[in-house]
């Protein structure tokens, strides 16, 4: 039998990560250290609002910091739900549903020892929402402002109560607060009002403290023994986040004992990883890998026939096979099991003959192809096997008469372009982007992409899509405080999205992780949010 280069590297245990990067095995065992090989090329921003997408929240978000409203992350057999975080309650005023009162948690302190209170919350809103505030940080604001599209005003009512006002009645507003994390005003002052210094010595209220940061290499998180929530007290003393953006590198690092767990393994190495005694875990994940199509004047994707053809040309079962079975074909933004799926009349499927017919009807063919350019990511958390998947789909489109040139960029560059929108000067010549995203709630799955008031840069309606009927349905859902009515309305929104083929739907991720033999426990939630305090 001839071993592949990948198998040989794994079998010989050759080092695949920079020397000195990893804590030695003996120290790791003595201190209860878990070393986590992550798919990112750099450690996400540590100053309070992580960059690099939703996947970054598990690394430098919900570890160092806490949100006001939290997501249940310690269950695997069902979707989580909203739970109290630094706010113990939130309620819309019956007399004016735009006004939300949040009661804050007593007795919480930041890592630097200063007290968490309403003043700290208001200071944090100013930090990212008020460009005139002396402590405003554009880098953090760029991450969270698009996640808080409804927020209009904020004020302190008393020492442990704040009032948040939305631009209009928005029953889904609490879902926006999941993304707003709270950092320490006192630490910012102590460090000379420098966000760069704060990023190196951050202070939040979370279950871990940052002990060491080596950009583009690793971050070391140590247990916060004074954490306020006993249910989320870390079960290990230290978690080391190791940047390993290449899937083969990550997989070999696990095989050679340099790390204890990894995300998104090299799929052709999964059998070898299992034989070596490692355990693959995955779960239903509300997340879709797709293409956002420009709806601006002059874009070829304003033609419904071409949008439908782009969907019909793809064999999603082959994509799932490419991913080692660790994915599920997508026939919409959400899975058919979702209460928001509805009953679309356009059935997303593999039908290359129909795709060719539609392309021809639009005036193109394999001999006279539509030529256009897409922006895609080279890789990163949530983007799965970005380049192989894109190249497979590129060939599928070419066979029906759609010739796409890819412009690959680093993930955070893609996110910046996503937030800027299709009309931004940097998007000249680009007619689609390939940001995969979370679909865990109506806001994140549908509202922020398809309401005309969410057009970038206000929200992430990158496509500049606008439709009065869709707007009306979304507005009705946001004004209803009845969950069943919300679901019914959002299902109608989703039907319109699929029937108009507004995106090219490809697959839903299952967010695979591989746990080494030394990892005894890990709860993988049905979300892109994950809780590293469940690691043991």
């Amino acid at each position: 039998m001839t071993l592949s280069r990948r198998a040989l590297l794994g079998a010989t245990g050759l080092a695949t990560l920079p020397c000195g990067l990893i804590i030695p095995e003996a120290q790791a065992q003595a201190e209860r250290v878990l070393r986590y090989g992550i798919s990112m090329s750099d450690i996400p921003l540590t100053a309070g609002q992580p960059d690099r997408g939703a996947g970054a929240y598990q690394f430098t978000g919900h570890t160092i910091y806490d949100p006001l409203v939290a997501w249940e992350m310690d269950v695997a057999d069902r979707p989580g739900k909203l739970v109290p975080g630094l706010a113990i309650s939130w309620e819309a005023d019956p007399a004016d549903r735009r006004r939300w009162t949040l009661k804050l948690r007593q007795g919480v302190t930041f890592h630097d020892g200063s007290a968490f209170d309403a003043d700290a919350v208001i200071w944090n809103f100013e930090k990212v929402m008020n460009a005139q505030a002396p402590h405003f940080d554009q880098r953090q604001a760029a991450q969270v402002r698009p996640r808080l599209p409804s927020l209009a005003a904020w004020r302190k009512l008393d020492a442990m109560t704040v009032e948040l006002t939305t631009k209009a009645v928005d029953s889904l507003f609490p879902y926006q607060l999941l993304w707003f994390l709270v950092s320490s005003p006192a630490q910012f002052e102590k460090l000379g009002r420098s966000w760069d210094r704060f990023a190196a010595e951050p202070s939040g209220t979370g279950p871990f403290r940052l002990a060491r940061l080596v950009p583009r290499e690793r971050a070391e998180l140590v247990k916060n023994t004074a954490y306020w929530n006993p249910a989320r007290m870390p079960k290990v003393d230290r978690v080391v986040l190791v940047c390993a953006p290449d899937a083969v590198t990550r997989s070999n690092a696990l095989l050679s004992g340099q790390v204890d767990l990894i995300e998104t393994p090299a799929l052709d190495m999964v059998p070898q990883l299992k034989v070596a005694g490692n355990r693959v875990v995955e779960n239903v994940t509300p997340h879709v890998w797709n293409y956002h199509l420009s709806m601006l004047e002059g874009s070829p994707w304003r033609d419904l026939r071409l949008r439908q053809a782009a969907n019909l040309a793809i064999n999603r079962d082959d994509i799932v096979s490419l991913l080692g079975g660790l994915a599920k074909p997508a026939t919409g933004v959400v899975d058919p099991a979702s209460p928001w799926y509805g009953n679309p009349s356009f059935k997303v499927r593999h039908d290359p003959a129909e795709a060719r017919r539609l392309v021809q009807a639009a005036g193109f063919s394999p001999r006279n192809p539509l030529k256009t350019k897409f922006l895609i990511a080279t890789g990163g958390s949530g983007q799965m096997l970005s380049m192989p998947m894109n190249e497979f789909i590129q060939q599928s489109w070419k066979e029906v008469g759609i010739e796409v040139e890819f412009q690959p960029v680093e993930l955070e560059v893609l996110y910046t372009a996503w937030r800027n929108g299709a009309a931004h000067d940097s998007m000249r010549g680009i007619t689609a982007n390939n940001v995969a995203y979370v679909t865990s709630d109506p806001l994140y799955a549908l509202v922020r992409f398809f309401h005309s008031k969410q057009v970038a840069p206000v929200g992430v309606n990158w496509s500049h899509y606008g439709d009065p009927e869709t707007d009306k349905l979304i507005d009705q859902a946001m004004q209803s405080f009845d969950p069943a009515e919300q679901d019914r309305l959002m299902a109608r929104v989703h039907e319109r999205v699929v029937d108009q083929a507004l995106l090219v739907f490809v697959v839903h991720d299952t967010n695979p992780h591989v746990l080494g033999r030394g990892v005894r426990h890990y709860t993988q939630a049905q979300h892109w949010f994950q809780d590293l305090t469940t690691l043991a």
Side-chain angles (χ1 to χ4, degrees):
M1 180 180 67
T2 302
L3 289 176
S4 68
R5 178 178 176 272
R6 294 183 180 184
L8 185 61
L9 280 171
T12 58
L14 293 178
T16 56
L17 297 171
C19 294
L21 182 61
I22 305 303
I23 290 177
E25 182 70 22
Q27 179 184 347
Q29 291 178 349
E31 197 189 5
R32 291 193 306 172
V33 177
L34 280 178
R35 302 156 301 175
Y36 188 172
I38 68 174
S39 65
M40 296 186 172
S41 60
D42 198 1
I43 297 299
L45 185 62
T46 54
Q49 294 295 157
D51 58 1
R52 301 179 178 271
Y57 273 68
Q58 67 177 299
F59 302 132
T60 59
H62 297 137
T63 48
I64 304 171
Y65 303 97
D66 289 305
L68 295 172
V69 178
W71 189 258
E72 191 179 27
M73 297 183 289
D74 60 351
V75 293
D77 59 350
R78 59 170 173 79
K81 58 181 184 292
L82 296 176
V83 295
L86 292 176
I88 58 174
S89 67
W90 50 93
E91 184 178 5
D93 184 348
D96 182 354
R97 293 287 196 178
R98 294 176 304 139
R99 299 184 184 277
W100 292 78
T101 300
L102 282 73
K103 296 288 186 180
L104 304 180
R105 189 175 298 277
Q106 303 270 0
V108 176
T109 58
F110 291 100
H111 298 155
D112 58 86
S114 61
F116 164 77
D117 56 17
D119 289 328
V121 172
I122 299 304
W123 184 91
N124 273 269
F125 278 116
E126 293 282 313
K127 172 187 74 174
V128 294
M129 300 298 291
N130 180 8
Q132 306 307 312
H135 60 293
F136 177 77
D137 184 13
Q138 177 57 43
R139 189 173 178 189
Q140 292 187 68
Q143 307 307 319
V144 75
R145 286 180 75 171
R147 304 183 192 274
L148 296 170
S150 294
L151 184 62
W154 47 94
R155 69 185 181 110
K156 170 184 173 180
L157 296 183
D158 61 40
M160 300 305 292
T161 311
V162 296
E163 180 185 82
L164 305 180
T165 303
T166 56
K167 297 170 185 174
V169 175
D170 183 358
S171 61
L172 307 176
F173 178 61
Y175 288 107
Q176 297 180 27
L177 296 176
L178 292 170
W179 305 89
F180 175 75
L181 304 177
V182 180
S183 54
S184 168
Q187 183 77 343
F188 180 74
E189 292 293 326
K190 176 184 174 182
L191 296 175
R193 300 186 176 185
S194 166
W195 282 116
D196 287 339
R197 291 185 64 189
F198 191 98
E201 302 178 58
S203 177
T205 63
F208 290 94
R209 294 181 292 107
L210 181 68
R212 187 181 182 193
L213 175 65
V214 182
R216 305 196 76 83
E217 288 190 4
R218 67 170 164 174
E220 298 184 20
L221 304 168
V222 296
K223 179 179 182 178
N224 175 17
T225 57
Y227 188 50
W228 58 267
N229 184 358
R232 291 193 68 224
M233 184 64 71
K235 299 173 180 61
V236 296
D237 300 309
R238 185 182 299 256
V239 173
V240 183
L241 305 174
V242 181
C243 293
D246 179 71
V248 176
T249 298
R250 285 196 303 280
S251 301
N252 279 314
L254 183 58
L255 286 168
S256 61
Q258 295 181 74
V259 296
D260 302 294
L261 71 153
I262 61 173
E263 59 172 350
T264 317
L267 298 173
D268 60 352
M269 295 179 68
V270 168
Q272 183 185 354
L273 289 164
K274 290 180 177 179
V275 167
N278 303 293
R279 181 161 54 99
V280 177
V281 296
E282 54 181 320
N283 204 346
V284 176
T285 305
H287 178 271
V288 65
W289 196 98
N290 58 186
Y291 297 90
H292 300 245
L293 305 173
S294 171
M295 302 299 287
L296 292 172
E297 190 70 38
S299 169
W301 306 113
R302 289 172 66 92
D303 191 322
L304 174 61
R305 296 168 297 188
L306 290 174
R307 299 198 303 270
Q308 290 179 335
N311 274 283
L312 296 172
I314 300 169
N315 188 329
R316 290 159 184 80
D317 290 335
D318 283 352
I319 297 288
V320 171
S321 295
L322 176 67
L323 295 168
L326 302 178
K328 184 178 181 181
T331 57
V333 177
V334 295
D335 187 78
S338 168
W340 316 315
Y341 188 84
N343 184 28
S345 59
F346 175 59
K347 304 304 179 184
V348 177
R349 62 198 187 279
H350 182 220
D351 190 340
E354 178 64 4
R356 280 189 289 271
R357 187 192 70 77
L358 289 166
V359 169
Q360 186 172 6
F364 303 99
S365 69
R367 289 188 176 183
N368 175 39
L370 164 67
K371 294 185 178 183
T372 190
K373 183 186 288 187
F374 286 9
L375 195 68
I376 66 172
T378 53
S381 186
Q383 293 301 122
M384 307 175 79
L385 294 184
S386 181
M387 295 308 296
M389 293 169 70
N390 273 293
E391 289 164 1
F392 179 95
I393 294 167
Q394 182 183 47
Q395 182 59 38
S396 300
W397 283 333
K398 186 175 183 179
E399 291 171 2
V400 303
I402 300 172
E403 193 168 301
V404 175
E405 176 189 351
F406 290 138
Q407 182 175 321
V409 296
E410 200 272 335
L411 181 58
E412 188 57 28
V413 175
L414 181 64
Y415 281 134
T416 298
W418 191 42
R419 290 187 287 265
N420 285 338
H424 193 266
D425 286 346
S426 64
M427 292 293 97
R428 289 182 181 176
I430 302 292
T431 67
N433 74 57
N434 178 220
V435 170
Y437 62 90
V438 175
T439 61
S440 54
D441 60 73
L443 168 71
Y444 257 64
L446 298 165
V447 175
R448 62 186 182 144
F449 297 111
F450 305 113
H451 197 291
S452 62
K453 291 184 179 179
Q454 294 295 313
V455 166
V458 175
V460 282
N461 182 346
W462 183 89
S463 303
H464 285 245
Y465 169 75
D467 172 63
E469 180 61 24
T470 302
D471 284 353
K472 179 181 177 182
L473 291 168
I474 292 174
D475 289 342
Q476 289 174 345
M478 293 171 65
Q479 291 163 14
S480 172
F481 286 77
D482 177 358
E485 179 68 1
Q486 291 174 359
D487 288 348
R488 184 186 69 81
L489 291 164
M490 296 316 295
R492 291 181 60 192
V493 170
H494 188 257
E495 288 172 354
R496 293 186 67 78
V497 168
V498 176
D499 288 346
Q500 295 176 66
L502 297 178
L503 308 176
V504 180
F505 312 102
V506 184
V507 292
H508 299 299
D509 201 350
T510 60
N511 198 12
H513 291 70
V514 187
L515 312 182
R517 287 173 291 180
V519 181
R520 297 195 308 272
H521 183 268
Y522 172 57
T523 298
Q524 181 154 325
Q526 294 185 20
H527 201 285
W528 211 249
F529 288 164
Q530 299 295 321
D531 190 354
L532 300 193
T533 70
T534 66
L535 284 167

